[in-house]
Amino acid sequence: PAVADASHYVLEYRKALCGGDDEDELFETLSSKLTSTQARKRNLDFFGGYFFRVRAIKGDNDVKNWVTHEEAFHLLSEADESNRMDPPEAVLAGTNQALLVKWKKHEGADGYELQMRENDGGGKWSTIAASLSGTEVRKKNLTSKLGYQFRVRPAGGVDAAFSPPSSPAVALGLSNGMKQLFSSLGEGKLLQDPSKSLPLADALGGKEFVLLYASAHWCGPCRQFTPQLSKWYQSLPQKNVEVVFLSCDHDENGFESYFKSMPWLAVPFDDDARENLLGYIRVKGIPRLVVLDGRTGRIIVDNAVGQPLDINRWRQIARGEIVNEGCQTKSCCSKC
């Protein structure tokens, strides 16, 4: 595990079968300048096993004690390695502080044992479930900024090797950018329907993208675009995108009537946040669909109406790999 304020680490190793020799003298240095809490050692012998030890260096006169393990680490046999499952994949689940863990079906397996650990320099593995019948699971309440790793094996296989660990994955909560954008939201809740609400963190936490949809029932182009957007939204295999309706209707009755036809969320009609968000995205015509980066609240597409609703393209824009051309719809209503 990481040591606070450590400038670097020293990692050493030795073979487990050393007879009566002085163990300390048999350790060899793998690295004396490690800045991370993980390392890979190749070309190890299969027989005997190995011990490793590490210590943190915090300064010239502040060298910590060695940390090691009680039992030797052993390499897998060729047979174990060939029958080992592939590492699972951990992806954003689209909900607050959650990951979706998926793995391939293994021939002959009646179930699966799944373990996880925090990505903190070889932390201890803990069992999520000893026997899962499916090949995916949603894990909630993942708050570590370091991320998590997962591994899997056939259930009941006491001697079966676990898969290699998944790549580290960090679950998303409600970002500071989104908190700031919605800071004027009266009760801190968005509407699921005119009579049911949802806390902001549960509504937008874990979302990769948040789409602000400025629209109104009295606007003909809006009524044409809303069914298209609804069909796309309902086709998403994972809800890592959320749409938030910002009504431009003339009154609350009009808002409620229109919102009942929508499958996404809305800012309450009489909430100050609605006007504030319309001002933030500078609405001059509708329909308007602004794509926000869920991690930062930054606008990455000024108006997605008239553009392909392409999540992979939004990812490229968010990473700075391409620049959005800002295509606008040709048919719109002039006032909101």
Side-chain angles (χ1 to χ4, degrees), residues 92-156:
L92 294 176
T95 53
N96 193 34
Q97 297 178 331
L99 292 171
L100 183 66
V101 187
K102 304 182 289 185
W103 56 93
K104 295 179 181 178
K105 187 175 181 180
H106 190 70
E107 185 177 356
D110 295 326
Y112 303 92
E113 180 181 355
L114 181 66
Q115 293 189 337
M116 64 173 286
R117 70 178 179 185
E118 187 177 1
N119 182 39
D120 186 19
K124 184 177 180 181
W125 290 97
S126 61
T127 299
I128 297 175
S131 183
L132 291 165
S133 59
T135 56
E136 67 176 46
V137 68
R138 186 185 301 267
K139 182 64 178 137
K140 302 177 181 179
N141 302 317
L142 301 177
T143 58
S144 173
K145 295 181 180 180
L146 298 173
Y148 297 86
Q149 291 179 297
F150 301 85
R151 66 180 187 180
V152 65
R153 69 177 178 181

Side-chain angles (χ1 to χ4, degrees), residues 298 312-324:
R298 180 174 65 92
N312 287 327
R313 179 176 174 81
W314 298 344
R315 289 173 179 149
Q316 290 180 297
I317 297 172
R319 292 193 296 261
E321 297 173 0
I322 60 174
V323 178
N324 183 58

